[in-house]
Amino acid sequence: MHHRPIAEIEADLAALRTARTKRLVSGARTEVSYASGGIKREVVTLEEVNQGIAMLELELARATGRPSGLGPIRAGFGGRL
């Protein structure tokens, strides 16, 4: 199994956390229309960013041997909290 360098994983985590913060602060617009046309843009949801962060934290924990801080993983269906 190929392991990425720890510094690379940490850099990816920092980038995702920055993206999440920008999204929370500025909000996001998915469509802008003008008389002459429009611009559509796909925006990553916060849920997708959070999932990416969780995956990178698990990868970092495996690479360093430190706990991920995510707790046990439980399978479930639907939106249960």
Side-chain angles (χ1 to χ4, degrees):
M1 179 177 196
H2 173 70
H3 294 287
R4 295 189 304 150
I6 292 169
E8 185 178 313
I9 299 167
E10 289 174 335
D12 287 348
L13 270 169
L16 279 177
R17 287 182 176 130
T18 299
R20 179 178 58 186
T21 300
K22 285 181 182 178
R23 174 79 192 273
L24 286 169
V25 171
S26 66
R29 205 176 280 200
T30 57
E31 187 173 340
V32 178
S33 296
Y34 301 98
S36 61
I39 298 171
K40 285 190 175 182
R41 182 174 60 148
E42 287 287 325
V43 177
V44 176
T45 66
L46 287 177
E47 182 178 341
E48 291 169 330
V49 173
N50 287 335
Q51 286 175 348
I53 289 171
M55 297 284 286
L56 287 169
E57 286 174 340
L58 287 172
E59 186 178 355
L60 184 60
R62 279 193 297 263
T64 62
R66 296 184 300 219
S68 66
L70 298 174
I73 298 173
R74 296 185 176 100
F77 299 94
R80 298 180 302 179
L81 294 177

